[in-house]
Amino acid sequence: MKIVSAVMAFVFLLSVAVQYNDPDGSAWMVLYGAAALLSMAVIFDRKVGVASGLLGLVSIVWALVLLLRLGPVSAGEVLTGFGMASTTAEQAREVGGLLIVALWMAAILIRDVRRSRLTEARIR
């Protein structure tokens, strides 16, 4: 889990770096930065399940809001090129980023819940 956490922290830090010229980049920098910090906390064996659960929930709600506003978009538009081809393609990519954050935060939460249960079982 530590190696995967290191990889995810690196990916999230790269995501922070590419937001500098985005019009709403500060919100994305906070989101990806928080995900990177929580990933680094896992590397150092910290319990961050509650924080990761909250960030995952924020990501899911944000993704749903974007999905409700999303117009028709083809997979080709989303997957080819990383420029601002269209607003809908950009929003679809943003939904993808939010879902990646949400899934990773769920993995961290599950890890912490399992560790807590194992600890409780050992105490009994």
Side-chain angles (χ1 to χ4, degrees):
M1 182 76 165
K2 289 183 181 188
I3 293 171
V4 177
S5 294
V7 169
M8 292 306 291
F10 180 73
V11 167
F12 291 134
L13 288 173
L14 283 177
S15 298
V16 169
V18 299
Q19 297 301 320
Y20 72 93
N21 65 347
D22 198 318
D24 59 347
S26 57
W28 292 100
M29 288 177 162
V30 169
L31 176 91
Y32 289 131
L37 287 174
L38 292 171
S39 298
M40 287 186 259
V42 170
I43 296 167
F44 296 104
D45 245 359
R46 302 286 187 237
K47 285 188 176 183
V48 290
V50 173
S52 66
L54 289 173
L55 186 60
L57 183 62
V58 166
S59 298
I60 289 170
V61 170
W62 194 351
L64 289 173
V65 168
L66 290 178
L67 277 173
L68 291 173
R69 297 188 312 194
L70 192 63
V73 61
S74 71
E77 280 182 277
V78 175
L79 299 174
T80 57
F82 290 101
M84 182 76 165
S86 72
T87 306
T88 52
E90 175 71 13
Q91 283 183 338
R93 285 188 207 113
E94 289 173 345
V95 168
L98 289 165
L99 293 178
I100 290 169
V101 171
L103 288 171
W104 181 241
M105 293 303 108
I108 293 173
L109 176 62
I110 291 167
R111 165 203 173 253
D112 281 2
V113 167
R114 285 184 179 167
R115 292 178 105 199
S116 292
R117 287 184 182 165
L118 283 173
T119 303
E120 288 175 12
R122 288 182 189 145
I123 293 172
R124 291 182 196 167

